[in-house]
Amino acid sequence: MDNSIIATPVSGKSNLQHLFSIPVLVAALGYFVDIYDLLLFGIVRIPSLTSLGLSEIEISTIGASIINWQMTGLILGGILWGVIGDKKGRLSVLFGSILTYSLANIACGLVQDVTTYKLMRFVAGVGLAGELGAGITLVSEILPKRLRAIGTSIVASVGLLGAVVAYFTVHLFDWRPAYFVGGGMGILLLILRIGVFESGIFDRIKEQKHVAKGDFFMLFKTRERFLRYLRCIGIGIVTWYVIGILATFSNELGVKFGVIEPVMPGLSIMWCYVGLSIGDLSSGVLSHWLSSRKKAVLYMILFTLGITILFFLIPIKTAVMFYTFIFLLGIGVGYWAMFVTIGAEQFGTNLRATAATTIPNMVRGTVIVMTILFTDLKHYMNVRNAAIIIGLICFAISIYSIRNISETHDTDLDFIEK
């Protein structure tokens, strides 16, 4: 097995030149802005809703509602941008999606009421839905197959640091300017994308009229393809259990655990994404070393399961210890890029952008179900037990999905779905 990462291939172009090419770097920066804007509401949820005059109880319930509006936008946007990506090209999505969510985030900095806030987070969700799937699809099709795992992990590990920048931006400037910064970064990134070229694999089929492209319903037309799609979604559910439940509602968990000082959700999310960035780069290297997507992701999920068990069993009495566990959980679920790459590799060129764009957004959309279930369970049990029950369901789904999906390491992506 050849585990070399920096050897020069026959083409004369080194692997490092491939990995740090303009398309990879622009995709990474795009995902950086995407994550900044995607996680910004989770970080400013309490201060922004407090400034709009909401009580502590309203902040919890209405905050969850706004998250659900954003996640609904992500689901619908994933379908929209996925279809556009397969019909018009990957670059169309990279331009259209970033313009949509940049303008929506600027508008979020101007809101004066909850209704407008929900609407703008919905529009932002629609825009945010296209960035990662289109970026991973483009990078996967441009890079040599031996480098796909490393390349997509670079995109994710750089991009996930957007959450860290979002946290510090909020603490430096307050929540409204933080939205303006996110929107401004997106507009500036549009300029960098002018020189990015389209995927050659896509170019070869775009003029083939007989090939159905971007047909979302093709995902459901055969039992095998539908199950393949569902398993791709199932792999990533644990990631958003950690982000959407354990980190986002960490203030409530901290109280139940008896943590001495208040646990801040914004800081929990930041540490979670620091871990995610490390985990994403590690999972790519691990996949490259093992020559297996499945083994790399399964090991990451099992690591996360172990840390989650300790999280609920070991007495956590300080905020530092709480954030340390969240950081470790972030490392564990840092297979996000690998999970999206698996989704892209599972489907043909004429359906790849649709699959790769909808799959992560369907996973993000499961947060709607998780938060509703979490809120309902809290009426019958304490917050700790509610989180444990949701976790058991999520881990069972993810482990089953990764064990029952096809291996895609080193596969050729130049094929179509019929």
Side-chain angles (χ1 to χ4, degrees), residues 179-249:
Y179 276 121
F180 299 148
V181 170
M185 286 194 298
I187 299 298
L188 290 175
L189 188 59
L190 282 172
I191 301 173
L192 292 178
R193 290 193 164 165
I194 294 174
V196 178
F197 52 88
E198 184 60 87
S199 158
I201 291 178
F202 173 78
D203 276 339
R204 284 193 287 274
I205 73 159
K206 69 179 181 180
E207 300 302 330
Q208 298 179 29
K209 305 297 183 184
H210 65 284
V211 177
K213 308 177 190 72
D215 182 356
F216 176 69
F217 296 103
M218 278 183 66
L219 293 168
F220 312 98
K221 288 182 177 178
T222 70
R223 182 175 184 273
E224 184 277 329
R225 189 181 296 141
F226 179 53
L227 291 177
R228 197 190 331 158
Y229 184 65
L230 288 181
R231 287 169 186 148
C232 287
I233 294 170
I235 293 169
I237 287 178
V238 163
T239 300
W240 272 89
Y241 163 67
V242 170
I243 300 168
I245 300 297
L246 301 186
T248 299
F249 296 97

Side-chain angles (χ1 to χ4, degrees), residues 5-84:
I5 295 180
I6 59 173
T8 302
V10 177
S11 65
K13 191 173 184 180
S14 73
N15 289 347
L16 287 177
Q17 287 176 310
H18 280 296
L19 291 172
F20 294 98
S21 61
I22 295 298
V24 175
L25 294 177
V26 170
L29 291 174
Y31 191 41
F32 176 93
V33 179
D34 174 280
I35 288 296
Y36 177 102
D37 290 333
L38 178 66
L39 274 295
L40 191 54
F41 175 72
I43 296 172
V44 305
R45 175 174 62 98
I46 294 176
S48 65
L49 295 179
T50 299
S51 72
L52 293 179
L54 274 64
S55 66
E56 185 175 344
I57 296 176
E58 289 174 325
I59 288 173
S60 179
T61 57
I62 293 177
S65 175
I66 293 175
I67 290 173
N68 289 344
W69 273 80
Q70 177 174 298
M71 293 304 171
T72 302
L74 284 163
I75 294 173
L76 297 177
I79 298 171
L80 170 67
W81 296 117
V83 170
I84 292 174

Side-chain angles (χ1 to χ4, degrees), residues 4 18 68 114 121 157 194 198 200 211 245 258 301 312 318 334 417:
S4 173
H18 280 296
N68 289 344
V114 169
R121 290 320 299 164
S157 58
I194 294 174
E198 184 60 87
V211 177
I245 300 297
I301 293 174
F312 285 112
T318 67
E417 298 281 341

